Amino acid sequence: MFKSAQCQLDYSFTIVNDRTPLTEIKNKLNEYNFVIVAGGTYFIINNYEYNLMALGNDSMPIIDWLRHLKWLPSTVVLADKGLPSEVDWRRPVLFKNEGEYMGILTSGKEIKKLNEENNKISAYFETLAETISDSVTAVDESGNVVYWNTTAEETYKIKKEFILGKKIGEHFNDDSVILHRILNEGRFVRGEYHRPNKDTHVLINALPIIIENKIIGGVATEHNITNIIRLNEELDSNSSLLVPKTNPFSTMVTGSPKFQESLKIAQKVAHADIPVHITGETGSGKEMLAQAIHYGGAKADGAFITLNCSVIPAALLEIELFGFQKNTETSEPQTLQIGRIEQASNGTLFIEDVDKMPLSIQGKLLEYLVDHSFYRVGGVEKIASTTRIITSTSEPIDLLLREGSLNEKLYFHLSVISIDIPPLRTRKEDIVTLVDKFINEFSAKYKKVVPEVHPETMLHIVNYDWPGNVREMRNTIERIVLLNDRPSITSEQLPENIKSKIIINNNEGKGVESTLAEIPSKNAEALQIEEALRKTYGNKSAAASLLGISRGTLYNKIKEYGLG
């Protein structure tokens, strides 16, 4: 992790040959920290060993004195090679560089250096572990906890002092501790769903710590997704009903021939217990159509359950779809989580953005569609469920297949019935109807008088592209109604994104944007017809009713005055 620090060599030394008398060695030890005796084998004498000199005669050669005491030779290390893995630290180590003596390293200095490095590495690890927002647990080879960060304390409500140094199994069931598996099997775990206790849901990453092919411990990080699970469950329990349960297609009125054809197909397949795939841009009303198919079909009395693959973590999707089962061999009750397919048994499961589901899970979904049975995650029993599957995608199918984000076999299985919802910008004829519908809906919701929409404002709304489709329009109208305190809605109240993107079709001339003052040459009847068309946004049937004439008469007048 870090480069070894520079060895703390001692440079206070002198070199003598092995025939140097003992008295001279004594003198040099008063001047230097070390005396190096060179003579084929290197012996090093420390100045704190001075008193041992009293055991020998002053005129005795140092080599005889060393042999008499059975003095251990020192390890010689080439400075450019570094310390070998095995060193005899009972004597100081001599560092050399070819013919040059570099310095001396004692075991005390080496231990001090190693402690400093260890403290530095520990400080980095602890700081890193405390910086990240996940729980971090480290254990030794016996499963004893050697590190437990603050997030782990908060997640499991266990203080460091009550778990450090103790086996992790003392606080968690052995069969629910993934670190035990890491220690036993040596394989890593990444993004695995885990329930260490009945109240906590986490996604876990874990790796063994290996030195020289031996597992000496393991580290795990756990991302707490308990709040995501609870929020997801809350959203499911409060999912809104977008269509009436009786006559569910009644609110889906359109003037678009293409959308009318899609609705006809949806009504025909509602009673057929087969998968349906719905395509359409984000916000175009795919869930609304899925609900209409469900409540308009044979499974209307069953549950309508949704699974949005774009908002649930990929590692959790398999459990959300198929459920989770963990059988324990202890007296503890088994852990069981029912998946969406089972929740929607005898009903409908609507899977939004199925292309965001990992391909491995798409394959398992395909297996379910083939034989209508599946295994819960962790379970061994095959579960049968008669659940109707409706899926959706927001991107073009050919692009998804080309990118490989959608299982081709799954799509072919789903696409027996494929229904496309055209974007709102291609069905301008529906905009006025939708605006009126949403204004009435939110006026009732917020107990307000239903305001009128100024013709110019409606023109801007009609000409806007609505990239977020019906959902964007619904949210926009709700905001306008909520904030409006006037009897009418004007362009001033439109959001800036609509004001800045007003589309004016210059190829049609001034058209409905013309004012009465700009066409003085037209007679009064022509002006009345133009005004009626303006008020009804070009709807000729409505304009005829407003003028009190037949639609045929209106067509003739339009032709006569060149208003078509």
Side-chain angles (χ1 to χ4, degrees):
M1 183 174 179
F2 300 99
K3 291 183 178 179
S4 296
Q6 184 66 37
C7 293
Q8 299 178 0
L9 300 180
D10 195 314
Y11 305 105
S12 176
F13 63 87
T14 186
I15 303 167
V16 299
N17 63 52
D18 57 5
R19 305 310 299 175
T20 303
L22 199 58
T23 184
E24 187 175 336
I25 300 296
K26 292 179 182 179
N27 293 334
K28 290 186 181 294
L29 287 176
N30 288 322
E31 187 177 351
Y32 298 96
N33 290 339
F34 299 94
V35 172
I36 301 173
V37 179
T41 300
Y42 291 92
F43 298 92
I44 298 177
I45 305 171
N46 202 321
N47 59 5
Y48 67 74
E49 296 168 319
Y50 179 90
N51 291 335
L52 293 175
M53 302 294 157
L55 299 176
N57 188 293
D58 285 351
S59 61
M60 179 187 298
I62 186 62
I63 189 64
D64 293 341
W65 180 79
L66 292 172
R67 287 171 180 167
H68 175 71
L69 294 180
K70 299 181 179 179
W71 204 268
L72 294 175
S74 288
T75 301
V76 180
V77 174
L78 295 178
D80 59 344
K81 297 293 179 70
L83 279 171
S85 57
E86 295 183 4
V87 174
D88 187 348
W89 288 104
R90 290 177 295 176
R91 299 303 303 159
V93 175
L94 174 62
F95 276 72
K96 288 184 64 180
N97 188 7
E98 295 181 354
E100 181 183 5
Y101 296 93
M102 304 294 295
I104 293 170
L105 179 64
T106 63
S107 59
K109 287 288 183 68
E110 179 65 7
I111 291 171
K112 181 181 178 182
K113 184 199 75 171
L114 293 174
N115 282 334
E116 289 173 353
E117 288 185 353
N118 182 64
N119 291 337
K120 184 178 180 180
I121 292 172
S122 296
Y124 271 91
F125 173 76
E126 290 179 14
T127 303
L128 175 63
E130 292 296 338
T131 300
I132 63 176
S133 57
D134 293 345
S135 300
V136 177
T137 308
V139 297
D140 62 17
E141 67 273 17
S142 300
N144 299 309
V145 179
V146 296
Y147 191 79
W148 184 259
N149 75 342
T150 303
T151 304
E153 287 186 314
E154 296 169 352
T155 300
Y156 298 108
K157 306 298 185 289
I158 303 173
K159 292 292 184 182
K160 292 182 175 73
E161 56 264 32
F162 297 120
I163 196 168
L164 289 177
K166 298 179 180 178
K167 291 190 179 298
I168 195 166
E170 292 184 21
H171 291 275
F172 303 96
N173 292 331
D174 283 356
D175 63 349
S176 72
V177 180
I178 286 186
L179 278 171
H180 283 173
R181 189 200 313 169
I182 298 300
L183 296 176
N184 293 332
E185 301 175 10
R187 65 183 184 86
F188 70 88
V189 168
R190 191 167 302 282
E192 183 171 318
Y193 173 77
H194 182 46
R195 290 184 71 176
N197 56 50
K198 66 183 181 67
D199 298 320
T200 309
H201 305 258
V202 298
L203 294 179
I204 186 169
N205 296 324
L207 281 169
I209 302 172
I210 301 174
I211 295 180
E212 295 180 354
N213 294 321
K214 181 183 178 183
I215 298 174
I216 66 163
V219 177
T221 62
E222 298 175 0
H223 183 62
N224 192 348
I225 57 171
T226 304
N227 289 336
I228 296 176
I229 297 286
R230 289 173 180 167
L231 177 61
N232 195 40
E233 291 171 350
E234 184 178 337
L235 289 174
D236 287 342
S237 63
N238 295 313
S239 57
S240 57
L241 183 64
L242 303 175
V243 298
K245 291 186 178 181
T246 56
N247 197 10
F249 288 96
S250 61
T251 57
M252 304 184 72
V253 179
T254 178
S256 165
K258 185 176 180 182
F259 196 18
Q260 287 175 350
E261 185 61 29
S262 295
L263 291 176
K264 287 178 183 177
I265 296 172
Q267 288 175 297
K268 288 179 180 179
V269 302
H271 284 275
D273 192 9
I274 57 175
V276 176
H277 185 69
I278 303 174
T279 59
E281 294 181 359
T282 300
S284 59
K286 296 187 290 293
E287 183 176 357
M288 186 176 183
L289 182 57
Q291 284 192 9
I293 294 171
H294 169 71
Y295 291 111
K299 292 183 179 292
D301 293 333
F304 179 85
I305 304 293
T306 63
L307 176 66
N308 192 330
C309 299
S310 63
V311 298
I312 298 176
L316 189 59
L317 270 172
E318 184 175 2
I319 290 164
E320 286 294 316
L321 184 61
F322 299 110
F324 177 81
Q325 184 171 7
K326 184 70 173 178
N327 293 307
T328 61
E329 297 178 357
T330 65
S331 59
E332 292 285 331
Q334 70 172 8
T335 301
L336 180 64
Q337 179 179 331
I338 302 300
R340 305 295 176 91
I341 288 180
E342 279 185 89
Q343 292 174 33
S345 184
N346 295 317
T348 301
L349 173 61
F350 175 52
I351 304 176
E352 294 185 73
D353 295 324
V354 67
D355 55 295
K356 300 297 192 298
M357 180 184 288
L359 290 172
S360 59
I361 305 176
Q362 289 185 37
K364 293 181 180 180
L365 175 60
L366 174 60
E367 291 174 5
Y368 168 75
L369 291 171
V370 171
D371 65 6
H372 300 288
S373 61
F374 62 92
Y375 293 96
R376 298 187 187 109
V377 175
V380 295
E381 178 188 358
K382 203 164 191 179
I383 310 295
S385 178
T386 55
T387 302
R388 182 178 197 171
I389 303 295
I390 301 178
T391 57
S392 76
T393 51
S394 300
E395 301 291 334
I397 292 297
D398 57 343
L399 176 64
L400 297 175
L401 294 175
R402 189 165 59 248
E403 289 179 343
S405 55
L406 183 61
N407 183 311
E408 190 174 33
K409 291 182 179 179
L410 173 63
Y411 172 68
F412 291 149
H413 198 91
L414 295 168
S415 63
V416 174
I417 299 296
S418 184
I419 303 173
D420 182 62
I421 301 179
L424 192 54
R425 64 180 174 275
T426 67
R427 45 189 178 101
K428 298 286 188 182
E429 58 269 39
D430 291 344
I431 291 179
V432 175
T433 303
L434 288 169
V435 170
D436 289 340
K437 174 188 173 184
F438 295 145
I439 286 177
N440 282 281
E441 176 188 343
F442 293 116
S443 295
K445 178 180 179 180
Y446 297 114
K447 296 178 173 59
K448 292 193 169 192
V449 176
V450 179
E452 293 184 354
V453 181
H454 191 278
E456 183 184 9
T457 306
M458 186 63 83
L459 179 66
H460 291 163
I461 292 174
V462 170
N463 283 334
Y464 180 57
D465 255 354
W466 297 107
N469 292 291
V470 177
R471 185 186 300 159
E472 181 188 3
M473 173 183 281
R474 191 173 189 276
N475 293 340
T476 299
I477 298 302
E478 181 175 15
R479 175 184 179 276
I480 291 173
V481 170
L482 179 62
L483 300 178
N484 180 57
D485 294 317
R486 302 174 187 175
S488 64
I489 297 172
T490 66
S491 299
E492 294 177 2
Q493 293 161 279
L494 294 176
E496 288 300 322
N497 62 314
I498 295 181
K499 291 179 183 178
S500 63
K501 294 181 179 179
I502 291 174
I503 300 173
I504 300 175
N505 192 343
N506 293 319
N507 295 330
E508 295 181 0
K510 294 183 179 178
V512 293
E513 289 186 291
S514 301
T515 64
L516 295 180
E518 291 176 312
I519 47 175
S521 61
K522 295 179 180 177
N523 61 32
E525 187 178 41
L527 294 176
Q528 287 178 342
I529 292 171
E530 268 202 339
E531 181 66 14
L533 288 169
R534 197 161 35 242
K535 286 182 177 179
T536 58
Y537 315 108
N539 188 312
K540 295 179 177 63
S541 296
S545 297
L546 185 65
L547 292 167
I549 61 178
S550 68
R551 189 166 61 177
T553 301
L554 177 61
Y555 278 112
N556 291 334
K557 293 291 185 182
I558 289 173
K559 186 177 181 180
E560 178 184 346
Y561 296 122
L563 302 177

